[in-house]
Amino acid sequence: MRGFITDPTGRAGLRLDDDLPEPEPAPNEFLLGVRAYALNHDELNLIRRRPEGWRPGQDTAGIVLRAAADGSGPPAGARVAAYLDWEGWAERVPVPAHRAAVLDDRVSFDQAATLPIAGLTALRALRAAGAVLGRQVLITGATGGVGQFAVQLAVASGAHVTAYVSRPEKRVTALELGAHRVITSLDEHDLGPFAAVLDGIGGPLTAQAVRRMAPRGTLIWYGNLGGAAELRLDR
């Protein structure tokens, strides 16, 4: 069976191995034939940190080849998206029945593979923000993996969404996602106040965003692509 393993001498620290052992699912696991998988930012860090021969891969989508022996989970032939701890970048993987969801036929495998980590992170972040109907919400990194889902979910929840993007050429994408306003700087004088900020960037941007929040507003910080964020309380 083919699949990727870590190899410090390989390109991007990986090597395609064509002699991996066939998976042996536990009674509560089904066998998934992988059709697509997604790459998350932190997996790049994991690849650098893990020992040689480690098998990466968390977000996958494919077809159930064999249902779980205990009768739980989707039946053979079902199209599913699945979230794994590792080993997802292979032709076949065992998946715990409770870590998969059956797909609507309108959702492609490529689309579905992006759902588990990015989609669930956006959903949990928005839930932590509380009721956003009719309220102003700022989403940074709005065209990134989590950001794209966050914008769409916030708009669907009735929020007035301001999307922060890093470059002007990303404005069109953010607007297509449903954002009501797209910005490339938090220095604009008429921003906010925001009832909630969903921040996937970190660094100095977090402190800037906090200054634009409404009293009792909520900050959900889920990423640090811009580096460590520093918040201080001034007397």
Side-chain angles (χ1 to χ4, degrees):
M1 183 182 73
R2 295 184 303 169
F4 284 100
I5 63 172
T6 51
D7 182 346
T9 66
R11 185 177 180 181
L14 293 171
R15 172 168 58 87
L16 181 61
D17 193 321
D18 60 3
D19 193 28
L20 294 176
E22 285 290 341
E24 298 180 2
N28 67 332
E29 296 177 331
F30 63 84
L31 182 63
L32 178 68
V34 176
R35 296 293 184 271
Y37 60 79
L39 174 64
N40 293 288
H41 180 265
D42 197 50
E43 284 176 300
L44 300 177
N45 297 325
L46 288 175
I47 289 169
R48 289 191 290 265
R49 293 197 300 261
R50 293 295 187 259
E52 183 175 354
W54 183 73
R55 294 173 54 187
Q58 294 178 289
D59 289 2
T60 62
I63 297 175
V64 178
L65 301 178
R66 187 169 69 244
D70 66 1
S72 62
R79 302 170 68 253
V80 302
Y83 169 60
L84 305 170
D85 290 325
W86 63 317
E87 297 188 352
W89 298 355
E91 291 182 293
R92 291 171 290 280
V93 291
V95 179
H98 69 283
R99 300 189 105 184
V102 176
L103 299 175
D104 187 291
D105 289 338
R106 295 170 293 181
V107 180
S108 71
F109 290 128
D110 288 349
Q111 293 170 325
T114 69
L115 288 170
I117 289 181
L120 289 175
T121 298
L123 180 61
R124 294 185 67 179
L126 195 59
R127 285 177 173 172
V132 295
L133 178 63
R135 308 176 78 182
Q136 291 206 55
V137 173
L138 171 65
I139 298 173
T140 71
T143 57
V146 177
Q148 291 189 43
F149 286 114
V151 170
Q152 295 176 81
L153 289 170
V155 170
S157 299
H160 185 281
V161 175
T162 297
Y164 173 90
V165 296
S166 58
R167 297 191 301 274
E169 55 266 32
K170 295 183 177 183
R171 289 178 181 270
V172 173
T173 299
L175 290 171
E176 290 175 343
L177 292 168
H180 301 93
R181 180 177 181 180
V182 183
I183 59 174
T184 57
S185 170
L186 291 179
D187 292 331
E188 298 182 30
H189 72 279
D190 60 341
L191 290 176
F194 297 107
V197 173
L198 278 62
D199 180 25
I201 302 299
L205 193 71
T206 301
Q208 289 181 278
V210 168
R211 288 194 288 270
R212 296 292 189 176
M213 288 173 57
R216 299 184 183 275
T218 302
L219 168 68
I220 300 96
W221 181 37
Y222 60 84
N224 62 346
L225 292 175
E230 181 177 318
L231 300 177
R232 293 182 296 176
L233 296 176
D234 292 330
R235 293 183 179 180

